[in-house]
Structure formats: C-alpha cells, structure tokens
Amino acid sequence: EKEESNSSLILTFFPFVLTRTQKPTPSGFQTNEYADAQLQEIVRKMRERATIYKEKLKDPVLSSPEGSPTACKEEKKEDAEAKPEEDHYCDMLCCKFKKPPLKKYMEYLRLPDSIDSYTDRRYVAWLMLVTIAYNWNCWFIPLRFVFPYQTPSNTIYWFAVDVICDICYLCDLLIFQPRVQFLKGGDIISDRAEMKKFYHSSTKFRLDVISVLPFEVLYFFFGFNPAFRANRMLKHNTFFEFNDRLEAILDKAYIYRVIRTTGYLLFMLHINACVYYWASDYEGLGSTRWVYDGKGNMYLRCYYWAVRTLITIGGLPEPQTLFEIVFQLLNFFLGVFVFSSLIGQMRDVIGAATAGQNYYRSSMDNTVSYMNTYSIPRVVQNRVRTWYEYTWDSQGMLDESELLEQMPTKMQLAIAIDVNFAIVNKVDLFKGCDTQMIYDMLLRLKSIVYLPGDFVCKKGEIGREMYIIKQGEVQVLGGPDGTKVLVTLRAGAVFGEISLLAAGGGNRRTANVVAHGFANLFILDKKTLNEILVHYPDSEKLLMKKAKVLLKEKGKPAPGPSAQQPRGLAGLFGQKQETPKLFKAMLGGKGKEGLAKLLQLKREQDIQEAQAEEENKPEPEKKPAEPAASPVPPAQKEEPDADAKPKPPAVMHRGTSNESLIISMSPSPRAGEGEILKVEAKEKKKK
C-alpha cells in the first residue's frame, strides 16, 4: 500500500517537477519527434494509472488492474511432485495404445463397503449377469422338462451351466445384496450392519433364499429331472430391478422397452409351445389330427402352432377329444388376454417414445389452421413453419421451461449451470460479480430463437432488456439508409446492456440489430435484474459503476480529425484551465477594461436617476417654449454614426479619482438561491 501511495504522489506532482526543472528552449532549437511521442505516451500511461488508483481508493469494489502475482518456486515443485504417474503404453503389432496400470484396474474392481444402486454402474453390470442366469432358467427349464433335448450324453453340459447360474445366485445373495444402500426416514443408510439387517427382513431375501434351495439332491433319487430347478424362477425381483436401473441410465430407454415387450411376447409363445408339446405327448404323438405328429423339428412345429393359436390367426385342425376341446378353449381365452395386453403395452411404449413429436406436430397443425382461418400471408406462414422446424431440430422441444418447471429449484440450477454457465461467464459485464448472483440470473434467462433476417430490436424502440447470444450471429446495422453492417456479434456477446443498467430508464435503441442466420438468444429484462440485485448490493455497485463507464463512452463525441499537438515539452502539460464564470461576470472583459465598463455603467445609472428626479419636480411658471437643454451629457446625446469606425474600448487611466469601487457578496433572502454579487461606486467624502 505504501508503494502504491508513493507512486500516486509521484504521479500527481510529476508535472510540477517538470515545471521546476524545465529550461527555456532556445529559439533555434529543433525537437526530436520520436522522443516527444515517447514522452507523451509515458505521461499518458502514468496519468491513466494514477486515475485508476484514484478510482480504486474511492470505490474499493473494483478489482485491481494488476495481474495476480506469479507462484513461487516452492509451489511449482509441489505441483511437479503431485503430477500423476507416467502413462503406460502397450506395443501390439504395428500399433501403440495406452494401457492403464494394473493398480487402477484393481481399485476399480474392488467391491465397496456400500453400493448405491442408483448411480453405481458396476452394480448394474452385476444385475445384468444375474438377469442372464435368471433368463437361462426361465427359458430352458420348461424346454428341458417337456422336450426330449436333455439326454444322458449331454447332461454334463446342462449341469455345468446350471452350476454357474447357481453361483451367480449365491454371490448375489451373500455379497452384493447385503451391501445395497437404502432409505430410512429420508436418510441414506450405508452402515454395513444396518444394510444387512434391512435386506434380511425384506421379502426379496426370502424369495432369494427359496430360489437357491438345493432341490437338485433329489437327482440321486429320481434322476436328472429339470423340474427340480423350478424354484430358480422365483428370482424375478432382480430381473425387474435390472430393467429399472438400465432404463434410468439409457439415453433412449424406449428402445429397450420395445425390445423387452417383444421378449415378453416371445416368452409367452415359448411357454405355449411347450404346453402344446406336453398335451400332444399326453394324447399320443400322431394319435389325432390336432396333436403334433412327430415329424420335422419338434420345437419349431410346436412354436408355429402356438403363434397361430395365441394370435388367433385360425386355420388349425379341429380338436377331436374333450381334452383337446378344453385345452383349445383355454388357449384361445388366454391368447386373447395376453396378446391384447402386450399390444396395449407396445402401443403405450411407442406412444411415450413419440409423445414429444406428437405434441410438436399438434402445435404446428393448430398454428397453421389458425393462420389459414385469418388469411395470414404465405410469407408469414412459411416463416412460422421454419421456426417450428428449427426449434424442434435444435433443442428437441418447443419450450425448455415446461420441462424444467417439474423439477426442484436446485436441479433446475444444476442443469442451467451445466448448459448455460459457460456462455454467461464469458460476458465481460458480469465479470467480478457474485457467483451466486449469476446462478440466480441463469434461472431467469429466457431462450428465444430468431430466424434469418428477423429484427431483434429496432432503432428508436424503448429498451427494456438486454440480450446474450447463445448460438448464432447478429448484425448491427447503421448508416444513412440503415443497411450498412457496423459490426457482427457472435456467441457470448452482449448488447442492449445500457438500457438495462441506466438508472433513468426509457433509453431508446440507437441501431437496428438483425439476426444473421438462425440465432438463439438469452433475454434478461430490467425488472428481473432489479429483483436479483436487491439481494446482492456489492454486485449492484459494480454493475452501476460499469454502467457509468458505458454511458460515458456512449456520450463521447464522434471521432474527428485529431487536433495538432504542441511540439516540445509543452505537450507534457495539460491545457490551461478556463477562467471561472464568476470572475467572467464580474470583469466582463480582459484586464482593467472590465472595471472601466462597470464604472461607466454606474455613471450612466446615476445620470438617469438624476434626470428622473428633475422631471418629477413641479414647474413654477409657464414660460414660452424654448429648446430645453437635455440633461444628458454630450457623450450620450450624440448618436453613433453607422459609418463611423467603432471607438476603442474604454481604458482606465492611471491617476487619482474621488470615487471608490465596492464589491460585496451577501446571502440571498430566498432559500436555495445562493449569494448575490453587488458592485457599487461611491464618491469619497471631502474632508
């Protein structure tokens, strides 16, 4: 601080030091123009710096113009020590690729003490593995139980896959599920004992335990019958949990929903094919026209029959026995119910996937119908259609605020920061303001799309808002005809801020601003900004300070031919200050001439008063009219000749006079009028 104050004092008294040390320049001395320019540049910079420091002392809110000090060497050493480990590369054939170290793999694969089922992708991957094991059991247990595909020659392979699926079930039961976090009274419980206790008290735990009961021991008594593994299909909770978690992390979840619904339909047809083969085997293969005749691929023939029956296509052989008739009736009723349910679910999935598109089409159709009703010109209709298409293609919705309104304020702020903070943070106007104030402003910004050639604002309009360019370009037009491109503004630029920050308001636009191509702009009105600045007084002071600077720059005269600067050391000093208006009024001229005029005016006033007194006196006698001598002195009686040369100004000559000039200042009797200047000329009393 002492160094800053000393520098400011030196800068303040710099001209006076030069005045003292300056020597008179000889008449024939030639100055160096380069040296003069360098000296003038140095003085200009020092004056600007002194002005900045003065403003900083007056308003401490402004930041220092100097850059931040460089980091010391010790900090650089610490940063060097904190650098990550060297990258590991693996050479393979002709290519070289980056390979993370084994330590990072182990850290990533290490099982945490608690698992967040909503955000941990490793848990979702594990659920997918368990789901694959569950689907194996659901699809192949009925198949192996009904169709004669499991034979003594391949039993070992079926048994090996069954063991792998059972290991997945046991790991999920003993390792993963007891580590899953849960909510209790709004709190996330991550204690190991509490999580295990919660899982053991749930219905899911009971079903998981039943699904891993080893009924396979009955193989020793009844042989390898897949029916003893039917309890493995009770682990359906894990299957539905995997569906929910996967849909939450997918960008286009409706695609997976369509695939899953199609899988439900195929599984129902699979179960129907298995039941049909079991019924045919019960009646006897080839015993009637209705049952399977045992020719061809048994699974494909039965699946084909299930498809035609469940979807009620028709064209099947008529059932012959009572069992066949009852079976066919139940199959038709079940097929109608299941198929209609799946079709309805498929319709809902596709409808939810195209809901936004349908809303866009409906809005556009309603708007076009409205314009046709009121005979809107085709040019305007085409522009409206273009706006709808571009808005939908660029952001996937017509109004972003409708989507964000359903979320809490904190989530809206988080999304706004990720999407728009990088753009607003580049704006010079808001640099140095409170970060929380910028966050509040992000929630109030309105996004509007302008088509090519649209006027964002026109010259002469009352400005009530400012604009921040989010995407695209705008052009500022001017010139005599208003078509000359003065400047092109791009993403991150701001215009209209003077109307927003001006205290008086009602500022008119000084130029036309037109969208050059498609432009997406943020709009912030003055009312919204004032509501935000109420809670941030420091930021308000800073913005008002910047507003004064902007208004001052706006009010500068148009640049013209620069005035010729004096050469030599005379250019180091500023221009002579103008004479105060009070002394101008008192003197009325240069030098002693002003005092002479004041005395002359005083004499004329005295003569006029004496003449008025003589006219008011009554005349004693009437005398014949005589040319009365005018009391006006000859100096005033003579009228100036138009052709005559003007007289030289009156000059007060040296000498003694019997008059004295009295100049006094007295307060005005009326409040707020200041003081009154009185000038009197009085004759001295003779002693």
Side-chain angles (χ1 to χ4, degrees), residues 351-417:
T354 59
Q357 186 78 15
N358 295 334
Y359 173 74
Y360 154 69
R361 290 296 177 187
S362 176
S363 300
M364 187 173 179
D365 293 342
N366 293 335
T367 305
V368 172
S369 176
Y370 173 82
M371 292 188 295
N372 291 332
T373 302
Y374 289 94
S375 302
I376 304 299
R378 286 293 177 185
V379 177
V380 179
Q381 292 190 22
N382 292 335
R383 294 185 66 83
V384 171
R385 289 191 180 94
T386 305
W387 180 88
Y388 269 105
E389 293 175 358
Y390 176 79
T391 304
W392 178 259
D393 293 339
S394 60
Q395 57 190 25
M397 60 188 68
L398 297 180
D399 190 2
E400 297 177 352
S401 60
E402 293 182 359
L403 180 64
L404 298 178
E405 284 177 357
Q406 303 174 3
M407 301 181 182
T409 306
K410 293 296 182 182
M411 291 186 181
Q412 295 181 21
L413 178 60
I415 295 176
I417 291 173

Side-chain angles (χ1 to χ4, degrees), residues 367-616:
T367 305
V368 172
S369 176
Y370 173 82
M371 292 188 295
N372 291 332
T373 302
Y374 289 94
S375 302
I376 304 299
R378 286 293 177 185
V379 177
V380 179
Q381 292 190 22
N382 292 335
R383 294 185 66 83
V384 171
R385 289 191 180 94
T386 305
W387 180 88
Y388 269 105
E389 293 175 358
Y390 176 79
T391 304
W392 178 259
D393 293 339
S394 60
Q395 57 190 25
M397 60 188 68
L398 297 180
D399 190 2
E400 297 177 352
S401 60
E402 293 182 359
L403 180 64
L404 298 178
E405 284 177 357
Q406 303 174 3
M407 301 181 182
T409 306
K410 293 296 182 182
M411 291 186 181
Q412 295 181 21
L413 178 60
I415 295 176
I417 291 173
D418 293 336
V419 176
N420 303 325
F421 181 74
I423 299 173
V424 178
N425 197 34
K426 296 178 183 177
V427 178
D428 295 334
L429 180 65
F430 300 113
K431 288 184 178 179
C433 295
D434 193 342
T435 306
Q436 189 61 39
M437 189 273 288
I438 297 178
Y439 289 167
D440 292 348
M441 189 179 65
L442 288 175
L443 296 174
R444 307 289 190 92
L445 293 176
K446 297 179 181 178
S447 178
I448 295 182
V449 176
Y450 289 90
L451 301 183
D454 282 353
F455 279 90
V456 180
C457 57
K458 293 186 177 181
K459 184 177 181 180
E461 290 181 347
I462 301 298
R464 299 182 181 89
E465 60 276 322
M466 65 173 291
Y467 301 89
I468 304 174
I469 303 177
K470 178 183 178 182
Q471 187 179 6
E473 297 178 355
V474 297
Q475 293 179 342
V476 182
L477 304 181
D481 54 352
T483 57
K484 182 181 179 181
V485 179
L486 302 179
V487 66
T488 301
L489 304 177
R490 294 174 175 84
V494 180
F495 59 95
E497 68 276 10
I498 296 179
S499 302
L500 192 70
L501 299 175
N507 294 278
R508 294 185 178 273
R509 305 292 188 188
T510 57
N512 295 329
V513 180
V514 181
H516 180 62
F518 292 95
N520 194 344
L521 307 181
F522 287 131
I523 295 181
L524 180 66
D525 57 6
K526 189 171 186 178
K527 181 181 178 182
T528 302
L529 181 62
N530 292 336
E531 292 176 356
I532 296 174
L533 292 179
V534 169
H535 307 286
Y536 304 97
D538 295 339
S539 299
E540 183 179 9
K541 291 181 181 178
L542 181 60
L543 289 177
M544 291 301 107
K545 187 72 177 179
K546 292 183 178 182
K548 291 180 182 178
V549 175
L550 290 173
L551 290 173
K552 189 180 297 183
E553 292 177 356
K554 181 183 176 183
K556 288 182 180 180
S562 57
Q564 186 177 2
Q565 297 183 355
R567 295 184 178 182
L569 294 178
L572 298 177
F573 308 102
Q575 297 181 356
K576 183 179 178 181
Q577 295 184 356
E578 190 178 358
T579 305
K581 295 181 180 180
L582 178 62
F583 288 96
K584 281 186 177 182
M586 184 182 71
L587 298 177
K590 298 180 181 180
K592 298 179 182 179
E593 179 183 356
L595 294 175
K597 286 186 177 181
L598 286 174
L599 292 175
Q600 183 179 358
L601 292 174
K602 182 62 178 174
R603 291 194 192 98
E604 293 178 359
Q605 185 178 2
D606 293 341
I607 293 172
Q608 290 179 1
E609 291 178 356
Q611 182 180 1
E613 290 178 358
E614 291 179 0
E615 290 179 355
N616 293 334

Side-chain angles (χ1 to χ4, degrees), residues 53 74 101 105 188 222 266 289 327 386 389 400 479 575 634:
Y53 277 111
E74 296 179 359
Y105 273 127
I188 300 176
F222 303 99
L266 296 177
R289 294 180 56 190
F327 183 88
T386 305
E389 293 175 358
E400 297 177 352
Q575 297 181 356

Side-chain angles (χ1 to χ4, degrees), residues 568-686:
L569 294 178
L572 298 177
F573 308 102
Q575 297 181 356
K576 183 179 178 181
Q577 295 184 356
E578 190 178 358
T579 305
K581 295 181 180 180
L582 178 62
F583 288 96
K584 281 186 177 182
M586 184 182 71
L587 298 177
K590 298 180 181 180
K592 298 179 182 179
E593 179 183 356
L595 294 175
K597 286 186 177 181
L598 286 174
L599 292 175
Q600 183 179 358
L601 292 174
K602 182 62 178 174
R603 291 194 192 98
E604 293 178 359
Q605 185 178 2
D606 293 341
I607 293 172
Q608 290 179 1
E609 291 178 356
Q611 182 180 1
E613 290 178 358
E614 291 179 0
E615 290 179 355
N616 293 334
K617 288 182 180 180
E619 296 181 1
E621 295 179 0
K622 291 184 179 181
K623 293 183 179 181
E626 294 180 1
S630 173
V632 182
Q636 281 191 345
K637 192 172 182 180
E638 297 176 358
E639 295 181 359
D641 190 1
D643 299 332
K645 295 182 180 180
K647 296 181 179 181
V651 181
M652 178 177 286
H653 301 282
R654 293 180 177 271
T656 59
S657 174
N658 59 347
E659 294 181 351
S660 60
L661 182 65
I662 301 174
I663 303 174
S664 62
M665 300 287 292
S666 61
S668 175
R670 299 179 181 178
E673 293 187 359
E675 297 180 342
I676 300 176
L677 175 66
K678 293 183 179 181
V679 181
E680 298 180 358
K682 292 186 178 181
E683 295 182 359
K684 297 180 180 179
K685 296 181 180 180
K686 296 180 180 180

Side-chain angles (χ1 to χ4, degrees), residues 173-365:
L173 174 67
L174 301 176
I175 299 176
F176 284 90
Q177 294 302 326
R179 298 171 184 261
V180 177
Q181 301 174 0
F182 66 97
L183 294 177
K184 184 179 180 180
D187 297 332
I188 300 176
I189 306 301
S190 58
D191 182 68
R192 186 72 177 273
E194 291 290 334
M195 291 186 296
K196 184 181 295 185
K197 182 180 178 181
F198 176 78
Y199 174 63
H200 290 169
S201 62
S202 63
T203 307
K204 182 179 180 181
F205 172 73
R206 299 185 183 93
L207 293 174
D208 291 347
V209 170
I210 296 174
S211 65
V212 296
L213 289 178
F215 291 108
E216 287 85 351
V217 295
L218 298 176
Y219 287 171
F220 297 102
F221 304 100
F222 303 99
F224 287 95
N225 191 346
F228 297 135
R229 294 181 53 84
N231 61 325
R232 301 297 189 269
M233 293 188 290
L234 295 177
K235 201 173 177 62
H236 56 84
N237 288 326
T238 302
F239 172 74
F240 291 113
E241 183 182 3
F242 168 71
N243 291 330
D244 295 338
R245 300 293 176 263
L246 186 61
E247 289 180 9
I249 63 176
L250 289 178
D251 294 334
K252 296 182 178 180
Y254 66 90
I255 297 178
Y256 176 72
R257 295 191 191 106
V258 172
I259 296 174
R260 184 184 62 192
T261 305
T262 305
Y264 289 159
L265 177 61
L266 296 177
F267 180 73
M268 294 302 298
L269 294 173
H270 169 76
I271 297 298
N272 196 17
C274 294
V275 173
Y276 174 67
Y277 184 85
W278 171 83
S280 299
D281 188 32
Y282 177 77
E283 287 285 314
L285 298 178
S287 59
T288 62
R289 294 180 56 190
W290 182 82
V291 298
Y292 170 60
D293 56 2
K295 297 179 181 179
N297 191 312
M298 61 183 74
Y299 180 75
L300 290 179
R301 290 292 185 91
C302 293
Y303 201 89
Y304 174 75
W305 183 92
V307 170
R308 299 189 66 178
T309 305
L310 202 62
I311 305 180
T312 63
I313 296 177
L316 296 173
E318 294 292 333
Q320 303 296 327
T321 63
L322 179 62
F323 174 80
E324 294 176 356
I325 294 173
V326 174
F327 183 88
Q328 187 71 13
L329 288 176
L330 293 177
N331 205 6
F332 279 143
F333 285 131
L334 184 64
V336 171
F337 174 75
V338 173
F339 188 72
S340 61
S341 300
L342 292 176
I343 293 299
Q345 186 176 1
M346 187 72 73
R347 183 203 62 185
D348 295 339
V349 170
I350 298 176
T354 59
Q357 186 78 15
N358 295 334
Y359 173 74
Y360 154 69
R361 290 296 177 187
S362 176
S363 300
M364 187 173 179
D365 293 342

Side-chain angles (χ1 to χ4, degrees), residues 64-113:
S64 174
E66 296 182 354
S68 57
T70 57
C72 59
K73 296 182 179 179
E74 296 179 359
E75 293 180 356
K76 292 182 178 179
K77 291 180 180 179
E78 293 178 359
D79 295 339
E81 294 176 358
K83 285 184 177 180
E85 299 178 358
E86 295 182 358
D87 298 332
H88 297 265
Y89 291 91
C90 180
D91 294 328
M92 186 173 181
L93 298 178
C94 61
C95 58
K96 185 179 181 182
F97 59 91
K98 195 173 181 180
K99 177 184 177 183
L102 182 61
K103 185 178 179 181
K104 290 186 177 181
Y105 273 127
M106 298 303 296
E107 290 179 356
Y108 182 77
L109 296 176
R110 186 176 63 87
L111 192 63
D113 295 334

